[in-house]
Amino acid sequence: DEDLKASCTISMTAFLTALQKAYDNAVETTGVPAKTGLGVVVDATVADEDAANEKGASAQIDTTIAVVALDEAGTIVASQIDTAQQKVAFDLEGVAGETDLRTKTEKEFDYNMVTYGGAVKEWFEQVNAFETWMNGKTVADVTGMEFAENSHGYTDTPADEDLKASCTISMTSFLNAIQKAADAAK
């Protein structure tokens, strides 16, 4: 397009893929959205304990993404949360191994939270339960939630008995991303 080309000459492939993915993952709202926002929280860790064991080091980047739709009163009418957890192991020569680029939601049952972690539900099912629980609440209600300790010793898991029955995962990165999304909502 000549008009666009006059001001934009960067590659479009990733943008178009993201746009299609957003369209494919659209959700119904429980009310009329007045504004929508996106929040992203990134955490990075490098584990070098394996290097001491002569296996090589590893790096992990967790990118938590939250989208919230708010009505005129600031009540959440729809939301979506996902985390891209990319782990890369390096051998002693510094060569990176393969990594699975799917998000936790995309992995669904392949994430194996129930099988290997003894969780109440798989990660994507727990996030779906959390998203449902948020509907009809304000951002302050959600980000001000009370915490409890889960069976793995995490102290930032839901204390609400109804939510806790189906969601026992750590909330901190979700809540930070939700707040960023609300702050950016337009």
Side-chain angles (χ1 to χ4, degrees):
D1 180 276
E2 291 302 319
D3 291 334
L4 182 58
K5 192 163 87 171
S7 59
C8 181
T9 60
I10 57 178
S11 174
M12 292 284 113
T13 303
F15 296 132
L16 295 175
T17 300
L19 184 61
Q20 184 64 51
K21 196 172 192 178
Y23 177 79
D24 292 343
N25 289 295
V27 298
E28 295 286 328
T29 64
T30 57
V32 178
K35 55 186 179 175
T36 303
L38 169 70
V40 178
V41 174
V42 179
D43 294 307
T45 56
V46 176
D48 60 1
E49 65 272 359
D50 289 339
N53 296 327
E54 299 180 7
K55 293 181 183 177
S58 64
Q60 178 173 315
I61 298 177
D62 295 333
T63 305
T64 301
I65 305 112
V67 176
V68 295
L70 307 168
D71 66 13
E72 286 290 341
T75 302
I76 297 170
V77 295
S79 62
Q80 276 193 304
I81 300 170
D82 204 347
T83 298
Q85 185 177 64
Q86 295 356 147
K87 298 178 184 180
V88 180
F90 297 89
D91 65 17
L92 293 175
E93 285 76 44
V95 177
E98 295 291 317
T99 189
D100 187 344
L101 296 178
R102 295 178 296 165
T103 67
K104 290 181 178 184
T105 297
E106 291 171 326
K107 289 178 183 178
E108 289 189 335
F109 295 101
D110 290 343
Y111 190 66
N112 288 316
M113 199 165 177
V114 172
T115 302
Y116 297 109
V120 296
K121 292 184 178 193
E122 286 298 339
W123 192 92
F124 78 97
E125 294 170 312
Q126 292 194 47
V127 168
N128 286 342
F130 179 54
E131 291 166 348
T132 299
W133 178 84
M134 285 193 300
N135 285 340
K137 293 179 176 50
T138 66
V139 172
D141 291 338
V142 172
T143 59
M145 73 184 321
E146 291 186 31
F147 293 136
E149 185 173 336
N150 71 7
S151 62
H152 296 287
Y154 293 106
T155 57
D156 64 340
T157 62
D160 180 276
E161 290 300 323
D162 292 333
L163 180 58
K164 189 163 84 168
S166 57
C167 182
T168 60
I169 53 183
S170 293
M171 293 280 120
T172 301
S173 62
F174 296 167
L175 301 181
N176 290 338
I178 290 163
Q179 186 63 61
K180 282 186 173 188
D183 292 345
K186 295 179 182 181

